Amino acid sequence: MRFLLYLGCTTATKQYGYELSLRGTLPLLGVELEYPKDMNCCGVPMKGISRFYPYYACARIMAIAESQGLDIVSPCNGCHLNLTETIYKLKLNPPLMNAVNELLREEGLRYTGKATVYHPVEVLHDKIGVEKITSAIKRKLPEMPVSSHPGCHLIRPTEFPRPETRNGPLKLDRLIEAIGLRARDYPEKYECCGAAILPYSPEAAIRVTASRIKKALAVGSRAITSLCPYCIEMLDGKQDAAKTITGDQSVSIPALYYTQLLGLALGLDEKELGMNLNMSPVEVLLEEMRV
């Protein structure tokens, strides 16, 4: 399997552990990643300014993939949603498709709709498969309870096809159990991590994050995991702020990417997976796993 890896802005500029763990794990499972040299933002930050630009931006990304005969793996939930929405909208709106391609023609590009966009949870669960992952791991991780937090855009909106659904087991939970851990349910895992309101009310956003962590702790989870860069930015990177704002020093849990956990099971070391860059107490989890 070969994919064009479209990292988006957040993973490429702030969430290095996600990129490192993707680059480390997927090739071990038979996935070849191609890295585009001339890429652009998916356009989400421009949605409040231009209705057209995000469609053009996403179509350009997919046109580059098509020019190389590749499908796309998009690790960012927001980018994945915007790319999927563009596929849907352009298919239904030929004049919009023509306007996009008129601009793309200046670069010798054309978007036709051939490229398929996948999120890592789909690549791992649907393309590689749980059974193959289980057979490929070198070290089954201890049966400790871990909660997933898939992130809003992996589930919503339902107007477009999304990788996960609330009406059934999460693919991410099946992947957690494929490497030996136990997926521990908690009531707020389908809710926003707080990132969506961070630019407008940082305190409110941090309080939301603190609430999600406390709910996971309340059901006995030893860690929380996601494949969304925004969720991990909040759940991993904002724990000190959460303690300060809430005054509750118990808001502490290892928060890390599923691909980091998968990498441990595949025999990669912590630095190869960027775990030295996590800000939550992942060393506590690592110590427990060594016992």
Side-chain angles (χ1 to χ4, degrees):
M1 285 181 279
R2 289 175 68 231
F3 295 96
L4 182 147
L5 177 62
Y6 175 65
L7 286 172
C9 305
T10 302
T11 303
T13 59
K14 294 191 286 186
Q15 293 297 309
Y16 308 124
Y18 197 8
E19 180 180 355
L20 286 168
S21 57
L22 283 166
R23 289 186 179 214
T25 55
L26 291 183
L28 294 177
L29 296 168
V31 176
E32 186 179 345
L33 298 173
E34 298 289 338
Y35 304 97
K37 294 179 180 177
D38 180 21
M39 203 42 79
N40 52 272
C41 168
C42 74
V44 164
M46 300 293 285
K47 277 196 165 183
I49 300 171
S50 168
R51 291 182 178 175
F52 176 76
Y53 178 77
Y55 296 128
Y56 164 72
C58 285
R60 184 177 184 276
I61 294 163
M62 293 187 284
I64 290 173
E66 286 185 1
S67 72
Q68 299 177 35
L70 295 171
D71 290 327
I72 296 171
V73 58
S74 174
C76 172
N77 288 15
C79 294
H80 183 278
L81 174 60
N82 210 30
L83 289 161
T84 306
E85 181 179 356
T86 297
I87 293 170
Y88 179 83
K89 295 283 186 176
L90 295 188
K91 188 176 181 180
L92 293 178
N93 192 334
L96 181 59
M97 172 84 98
N98 291 337
V100 163
N101 275 320
E102 187 68 27
L103 277 179
L104 292 175
R105 188 181 303 140
E106 295 178 10
E107 297 185 80
L109 295 170
R110 178 171 177 77
Y111 170 67
T112 67
K114 288 182 181 176
T116 301
V117 178
Y118 297 95
H119 187 273
V121 78
E122 296 175 298
V123 173
L124 291 164
H125 186 276
D126 302 340
K127 303 294 287 184
I128 298 171
V130 171
E131 292 76 15
K132 183 174 179 179
I133 290 173
T134 301
S135 65
I137 60 175
K138 295 181 178 178
R139 173 196 172 206
K140 199 169 185 178
L141 301 185
E143 292 186 30
M144 58 176 59
V146 172
S147 288
S148 64
H149 197 89
C152 307
H153 293 329
L154 221 55
I155 298 168
R156 298 183 286 268
T158 54
E159 182 182 0
F160 320 112
R162 305 308 305 137
E164 295 275 23
T165 174
R166 294 186 68 147
N167 302 319
L170 284 178
K171 295 174 183 177
L172 184 53
D173 284 342
R174 291 197 68 206
L175 292 170
I176 288 171
E177 303 210 336
I179 56 176
L181 300 166
R182 282 186 288 131
R184 178 62 58 86
D185 202 9
Y186 76 113
E188 297 195 6
K189 72 178 186 182
Y190 296 109
E191 307 305 328
C192 175
C193 65
I197 56 174
L198 187 64
Y200 317 106
S201 177
E203 180 173 338
I206 298 297
R207 288 187 181 278
V208 168
T209 303
S211 171
R212 306 298 180 247
I213 292 171
K214 291 187 72 171
K215 292 291 185 182
L217 288 168
V219 297
S221 291
R222 309 291 276 277
I224 190 165
T225 189
S226 181
L227 282 169
C228 171
Y230 286 104
C231 290
I232 290 296
E233 182 177 356
M234 298 299 290
L235 296 167
D236 173 67
K238 305 298 184 188
Q239 291 189 19
D240 285 347
K243 292 174 188 171
T244 300
I245 287 173
T246 63
D248 185 347
Q249 298 303 305
S250 71
V251 183
S252 177
I253 190 171
L256 64 174
Y257 288 101
Y258 172 75
T259 39
Q260 292 178 309
L261 292 168
L262 173 63
L264 293 174
L266 289 170
L268 299 175
D269 69 39
E270 298 141 32
K271 196 165 185 180
E272 287 177 293
L273 298 166
M275 296 184 75
N276 55 317
L277 303 173
N278 286 64
M279 300 179 72
S280 59
V282 294
E283 65 279 2
V284 175
L285 183 71
L286 292 171
E287 194 61 34
E288 288 188 57
M289 287 181 171
R290 291 189 187 101
V291 174

